[in-house]
Amino acid sequence: MADSSGQGGGEVQSQWVRVRAKLRAEYGDAAYRSWLRNMSLQGIEEGRAKIGVPTRFLRDWVAAHYADRIRALWNAENNGVIAVDILVLGIAQQLATAVEPAAEPAGEAAIEASDDKDVSAPLDPRFTFENFVVGKPNELAHAAARRVAEAQSAPQRSVPFNPLFLYGGVGLGKTHLMHAIAWHIRTHAPKRKVIYLSAEKFMYQFIRALRFKDTMAFKEQFRSVDVLMIDDVQFISGKDTTQEEFFHTFNALVDQNRQIVISADKSPTDLEGMEERMRSRLGWGLVADIHPSTYELRLGILQAAAEHKKLQVPEKVLEFLAHRITSNIRELEGALTRIYAHTQLVGREVTLETAQEVLHDLLRANDRRVTIDEIQKRVAEHYNIRLADMHSARRARAVARPRQVAMYLCKQLTPRSLPEIGRKFGGRDHTTVMHAVRKIEELRISDRAMAEDIELLKRMIEN
Ligand code: ADP
Ligand code: MG
């Protein structure tokens, strides 16, 4: 590595590790995963930090959105660094030359489960029952989750309903409730073995076990648990072998009276691409849906969050936010955090005007809906194909795959039905759209480049 900063490579590397950790803390895990984790330090030359990324698209995005912040953070670490250059590297080149920090410091918020480390995902310490605001839209789901947690924590553990199936749209509190169950049990009955993981991780582990011919151990891991929670099972659909394994694991656990908790964005009967027997099996226990938030619930959540953060925010401002930011609760909390950061910075009180000013982009985004046309345009640009090819009958891979990606994103990001989407893609049949959605879901798991493309595009379109 070229390094003319007057310091050893080791020192520069640890600065890089710290800069990355701060970026992660500031921008959150999702942004970190999709944009920032792909960066690799190439060295420092004449006060310029050279950071490589795999694609041009990523370079432009990082340069436009994060480069200033990276420079400032780095400059605070080492005032010899005065500029940051973002460069495009081929993947191979990146692997060969990257100066990767040895171990990624875990986000401070993440606590690793002690003995279920290999399988269970970290739990967010904020996602407890205490921090969950109950209202009409979520009262059933909340009550059911509590029952499960308490039944597991009692000296005579019991299983009130199996499985507990929680479903609802994005950001309505499914993951929060699952973590809350895990925290509760961990606090009140630490001996119980609780595994929480995303369906994607479940699939990933299963595929890895297949590759290493170690499916026995994989099965054992899951079959010795008291509570198995799998988040976002809609992502399991389409993958036949994984579905099969999921089905067997599921049945084995239910037979042994172990608790299963599942979440999804749809009800069991609406899970597309899920085998019929699995869908019906998932609906055997208690199915609790979380409805879109109401104004009252949003206001309640804002009040609780403001209190928790000891923020002086006039009621009027909270009411305004509860009215205007309706898309999901994560954004609502994000809005409050931003207002908070702003007032810290300028040291003035929050007013309706400052709130509007600070949040103008967020407010606008809440007013606007993603359209199919927009998705087609973005995807065509990204893959460098003609917009007309979104509608054309051409089947060459170079256009067919991007077209499938666009269909997939339309299904994910708009409320349009499969037939409606098909019509917008040159009058294709809904089964074609369904096939595309499944195909891309599969590729997202097996092909890292595809997973990254999708993540990037999603963010581009949603921003
Ligand atoms: P989902 O898994 O359904 O997409 P999450 O559980 O990740 O949604 O929730 C998104 C964010 O909103 C989290 O920060 C969560 O703490 C918060 N949240 C959702 N519902 C509530 C609630 N009823 N009370 C407090 N916070 C909530
Ligand atoms: Mg979730």
Side-chain angles (χ1 to χ4, degrees):
M1 165 172 101
D3 178 14
S4 59
S5 65
Q7 293 169 347
E11 182 53 31
V12 168
Q13 268 197 52
S14 47
Q15 288 165 8
W16 176 226
V17 171
R18 287 193 296 272
V19 168
R20 281 162 61 119
K22 285 186 182 148
L23 289 170
R24 183 180 201 154
E26 283 183 22
Y27 293 103
D29 277 346
Y32 181 82
R33 270 198 307 274
S34 33
W35 305 111
L36 302 167
R37 190 179 54 186
N38 292 312
M39 301 183 301
S40 61
L41 175 62
Q42 301 298 308
I44 295 184
E45 281 167 35
E46 294 168 355
R48 307 183 77 87
K50 310 271 178 198
I51 294 172
V53 295
T55 63
R56 256 177 53 206
F57 173 77
L58 205 52
R59 178 198 63 199
D60 296 345
W61 187 268
V62 171
H65 293 85
Y66 302 106
D68 277 348
R69 192 63 196 139
I70 296 173
R71 189 193 54 74
L73 286 172
W74 209 321
N75 188 258
E77 289 281 339
N78 169 2
N79 59 18
V81 174
I82 49 166
V84 165
D85 296 328
I86 313 289
L87 323 163
V88 184
L89 302 175
I91 295 279
Q93 190 184 357
Q94 185 162 34
L95 287 176
T97 60
V99 183
E100 271 297 309
E104 196 78 37
E108 270 181 57
I111 296 175
E112 200 76 47
S114 50
D115 41 357
D116 311 326
K117 209 189 222 126
D118 300 337
V119 234
S120 199
L123 298 175
D124 190 316
R126 293 166 308 162
F127 291 2
T128 60
F129 283 123
E130 289 70 34
N131 290 340
F132 192 82
V133 180
V134 185
K136 263 256 158 326
N138 59 27
E139 65 187 356
L140 175 64
H142 170 261
R146 261 204 180 278
R147 264 303 289 292
V148 163
E150 279 158 13
Q152 285 296 324
S153 308
Q156 277 297 335
R157 69 180 274 287
S158 62
V159 173
F161 19 72
N162 221 1
L164 168 58
F165 190 101
L166 302 170
Y167 78 93
V170 180
L172 298 182
K174 301 182 295 293
T175 299
H176 188 137
L177 281 176
M178 292 177 114
H179 286 205
I181 293 173
W183 282 124
H184 186 96
I185 299 171
R186 204 169 280 174
T187 321
H188 294 88
K191 290 226 166 61
R192 301 262 182 266
K193 185 166 178 186
V194 179
I195 289 182
Y196 161 87
L197 76 177
S198 66
E200 277 174 309
K201 193 159 175 209
F202 178 87
M203 287 170 57
Y204 169 78
Q205 298 215 346
F206 177 62
I207 291 163
R208 200 179 54 174
L210 280 181
R211 192 169 301 146
F212 292 107
K213 304 198 173 20
D214 197 15
T215 49
M216 276 307 285
F218 173 83
K219 288 177 183 158
E220 280 318 304
Q221 257 171 352
F222 289 104
R223 290 181 184 177
S224 62
V225 303
D226 293 299
V227 184
L228 174 63
M229 296 197 268
I230 300 193
D231 208 347
D232 290 320
V233 290
Q234 68 271 14
F235 293 127
I236 283 188
S237 50
K239 261 284 179 191
D240 291 345
T241 43
T242 332
Q243 249 191 64
E244 188 73 24
E245 182 49 37
F246 180 55
F247 189 69
H248 289 311
T249 306
F250 183 97
N251 284 331
L253 290 172
V254 171
D255 287 346
Q256 294 167 45
N257 205 30
R258 309 302 170 90
Q259 178 74 57
I260 297 178
V261 182
I262 303 284
S263 89
D265 63 351
K266 299 182 198 67
S267 77
T269 40
D270 289 339
L271 280 173
E272 286 161 14
M274 180 76 84
E275 268 182 57
E276 175 52 33
R277 58 175 185 166
M278 189 70 224
R279 275 188 299 192
S280 91
R281 197 75 175 79
L282 287 172
W284 279 12
L286 180 74
V287 177
D289 61 339
I290 308 186
H291 297 276
S293 63
T294 55
Y295 170 74
E296 286 74 24
L297 179 62
R298 289 194 297 274
L299 187 60
I301 290 172
L302 283 170
Q303 286 164 336
E307 193 174 318
H308 189 78
K309 294 184 174 134
K310 303 211 174 4
L311 262 180
Q312 298 289 342
V313 183
E315 191 69 14
K316 254 200 349 243
V317 173
L318 297 183
E319 285 168 10
F320 169 74
L321 295 179
H323 260 302
R324 291 292 304 277
I325 300 179
T326 53
S327 51
N328 76 51
I329 293 164
R330 201 170 293 128
E331 287 204 341
L332 204 59
E333 292 181 333
L336 203 60
T337 309
R338 269 168 64 179
I339 293 182
Y340 174 68
H342 181 81
T343 49
Q344 288 271 301
L345 228 53
V346 302
R348 247 185 290 132
E349 276 191 18
V350 188
T351 64
L352 207 49
E353 286 68 43
T354 46
Q356 264 166 319
E357 216 176 279
V358 175
L359 302 174
H360 69 277
D361 52 337
L362 197 62
L363 295 169
R364 216 180 38 229
N366 265 271
D367 288 341
R368 97 181 229 286
R369 293 273 163 261
V370 177
T371 64
I372 292 180
D373 293 336
E374 224 175 305
I375 293 174
Q376 292 178 330
K377 187 165 155 282
R378 286 283 190 196
V379 174
E381 274 168 12
H382 179 68
Y383 290 102
N384 222 347
I385 63 172
R386 294 175 313 139
L387 183 56
D389 280 329
M390 288 288 158
H391 317 274
S392 77
R394 283 183 62 201
R395 296 170 74 162
R397 181 90 169 255
V399 298
R401 192 48 46 84
R403 197 188 291 131
Q404 288 180 321
V405 168
M407 290 182 191
Y408 168 84
L409 288 169
C410 290
K411 184 79 193 77
Q412 294 281 313
L413 303 177
T414 76
R416 303 277 158 248
S417 67
L418 297 175
E420 281 176 302
I421 295 172
R423 275 197 293 280
K424 290 284 244 169
F425 283 81
R428 288 182 157 77
D429 192 66
H430 77 277
T431 53
T432 308
V433 182
M434 180 137 98
H435 172 74
V437 172
R438 285 191 192 163
K439 183 75 208 168
I440 301 300
E441 258 161 16
E442 271 176 37
L443 287 174
R444 270 187 64 199
I445 306 293
S446 59
D447 176 349
R448 204 166 134 212
M450 176 60 87
E452 279 167 7
D453 267 5
I454 298 281
E455 207 47 47
L456 299 179
L457 280 163
K458 259 191 178 167
R459 273 173 199 282
M460 282 288 284
I461 292 163
E462 281 173 337
N463 267 300

